């Protein structure tokens, strides 16, 4: 059986009330729910083997992903993942990686839409935090462009610069890596970026809702958004449980995803 992998995606783990943040306590509850329901969290290398056709996904497999590389991933999500021994991958905006010593670990987090990508360096993971997370064996890292550039652009030179610069930085930080993936910022892509990304990376993640089966388009890998926009904790857990059930089910999950995303280009 060609079982789907449920690739979960999120940005923030903090106590803000907004659609991009999951509160730490709720994040842990969602992870424990998935474990209680019999799901298994796989690491990035295992997922690469599935994408490459070197192995098949087991029933109820989950890959957990974080986009952008925010400090709250280190402060709140990382300790929970270490406690539960759950692996994850984070896609870094590589121009935001700075080698600075963090002075304040307890600042109040801005809401996602209020973060200034040019000025708010403290909101992103620094080099030491990235290394700690990677060396723990819990987190792996990959590319999310250099500057969070929209890959719907028709500027081929700029797209190539974003892909190549981000890839070069990932290779510099993780010289042992042999295979490289990419995540489209905001899920944006077009025919041009789809063609060019294949020259730099072996696969790429989208924000098209759904699971990934071996044999699917590996440059439009579907993911399941688990950002918290539910009215209550119980509603949120129910929504995640429902999505996992649907998208982990062979055939039915793919049909549902295709129906939901029928207008997606």
């Amino acid at each position: 059986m060609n079982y789907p992998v449920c690739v979960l995606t999120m940005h923030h783990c903090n106590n803000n009330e907004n659609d991009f943040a999951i509160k730490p306590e709720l994040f842990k509850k969602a992870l424990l729910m998935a474990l209680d329901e019999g799901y298994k969290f796989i690491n990035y290398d295992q997922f690469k083997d599935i994408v490459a056709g070197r192995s098949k996904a087991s029933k109820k497999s989950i890959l957990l992903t974080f986009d952008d590389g925010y400090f709250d991933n280190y402060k709140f999500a990382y300790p929970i993942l270490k406690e539960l021994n759950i692996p994850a991958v984070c896609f870094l905006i590589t121009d935001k990686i700075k080698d600075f010593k963090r002075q304040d670990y307890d600042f109040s987090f801005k809401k996602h839409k209020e973060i200034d990508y040019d000025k708010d360096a403290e909101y992103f993971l620094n080099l030491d935090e990235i290394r700690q997370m990677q060396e723990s064996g819990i987190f792996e890292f990959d590319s999310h462009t250099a500057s969070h550039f929209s890959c719907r652009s028709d500027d081929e030179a700029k797209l190539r610069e974003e892909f190549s610069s981000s890839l070069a930085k990932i290779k510099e930080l993780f010289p042992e890596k042999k295979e490289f993936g990419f995540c489209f910022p905001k899920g944006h892509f077009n025919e041009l970026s789809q063609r060019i990304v294949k020259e730099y990376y072996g696969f790429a993640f989208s924000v098209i809702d759904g699971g990934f089966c071996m044999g699917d388009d590996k440059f439009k890998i579907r993911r399941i958004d688990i950002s918290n926009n539910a009215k209550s904790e119980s509603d949120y857990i129910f929504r995640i449980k429902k999505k996992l059930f649907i998208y982990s089910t062979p055939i039915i999950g793919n049909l549902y995803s295709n129906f939901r995303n029928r207008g997606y280009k």
Side-chain angles (χ1 to χ4, degrees):
M1 181 67 71
N2 188 8
Y3 290 109
V5 178
C6 292
V7 184
L8 307 184
T9 177
M10 58 185 288
H11 287 77
H12 296 282
C13 183
N14 62 48
N15 289 300
N16 283 344
E17 297 284 353
N18 72 83
D19 288 347
F20 278 88
I22 306 173
K23 291 184 177 181
E25 297 82 3
L26 184 56
F27 178 56
K28 185 175 181 179
K29 286 181 181 179
L31 297 176
L32 289 171
M33 175 276 294
L35 292 172
D36 288 344
E37 291 292 319
Y39 292 92
K40 178 184 178 183
F41 289 84
I42 63 173
N43 63 38
Y44 200 33
D45 281 340
Q46 291 172 307
F47 183 75
K48 290 176 188 177
D49 286 340
I50 295 166
V51 172
R54 294 188 293 263
S55 66
K56 293 183 178 181
S58 299
K59 188 177 181 180
K60 290 190 168 184
S61 294
I62 294 176
L63 176 70
L64 178 62
T65 72
F66 293 77
D67 287 6
D68 299 349
Y70 296 104
F71 170 59
D72 58 32
N73 298 173
Y74 173 83
K75 182 174 181 180
F76 294 113
Y78 176 46
I80 293 170
L81 295 175
K82 280 200 298 183
E83 177 188 346
L84 300 179
N85 196 30
I86 290 175
V89 57
C90 179
F91 300 105
L92 298 169
I93 307 169
T94 52
D95 280 356
K96 305 306 171 192
I97 302 170
K98 306 297 181 185
D99 189 8
F100 68 92
K101 183 173 178 58
R102 191 175 297 280
Q103 301 297 323
D104 184 4
Y105 284 84
D106 297 313
F107 61 86
S108 297
F109 289 91
K110 293 180 181 179
K111 291 187 176 182
H112 180 81
K113 64 181 180 180
E114 298 171 354
I115 296 173
D116 188 319
Y117 279 42
D118 295 321
K119 297 179 181 178
D120 292 331
E122 71 273 18
Y123 281 83
F124 294 89
L125 296 167
N126 66 25
L127 187 57
D128 179 62
E129 290 154 358
I130 290 169
R131 293 201 185 284
Q132 286 184 50
M133 295 163 79
Q134 191 267 339
E135 289 171 1
S136 72
I138 294 294
F139 267 89
E140 296 187 53
F141 296 89
D142 233 329
S143 296
H144 200 42
T145 73
S147 68
H148 209 250
F149 183 71
S150 173
C151 295
R152 283 183 183 155
S153 173
D154 292 320
D155 187 338
E156 180 170 344
K158 179 62 175 173
L159 285 169
R160 289 187 178 279
E161 178 186 338
E162 290 282 338
F163 292 154
S164 62
S165 176
S166 183
L167 179 60
K169 187 65 176 179
I170 294 296
K171 286 182 174 180
E172 174 192 331
L173 293 178
F174 310 106
E176 74 286 352
K177 280 177 71 78
K178 303 300 181 185
E179 295 176 298
F180 301 89
F182 179 78
C183 179
F184 288 104
K186 299 181 180 179
H188 291 176
F189 58 79
N190 56 19
E191 289 185 8
L192 178 62
S193 60
Q194 275 286 318
R195 174 173 60 83
I196 297 172
V197 74
K198 296 172 184 178
E199 300 178 27
Y200 296 90
Y201 300 96
F203 53 94
F205 295 84
S206 73
V207 293
I208 302 172
D209 203 47
F212 175 80
C213 288
M214 188 171 61
D216 287 351
D217 188 337
K218 64 180 181 178
F219 289 93
K220 297 179 184 176
I221 294 172
R222 301 182 183 200
R223 297 191 292 170
I224 302 164
D225 183 15
I226 60 168
S227 299
N228 181 16
N229 56 9
K231 294 180 181 179
S232 67
E233 287 194 2
S234 60
D235 286 343
Y236 174 76
I237 295 297
F238 176 78
R239 179 169 64 86
I240 301 303
K241 183 185 292 188
K242 182 178 73 172
K243 281 194 169 189
L244 287 174
F245 174 76
I246 292 170
Y247 288 135
S248 66
T249 305
I251 303 175
I252 293 174
N254 191 54
L255 289 172
Y256 181 73
S257 177
N258 289 339
F259 175 77
R260 283 205 63 187
N261 301 292
R262 59 195 180 279
Y264 197 96
K265 300 294 183 183

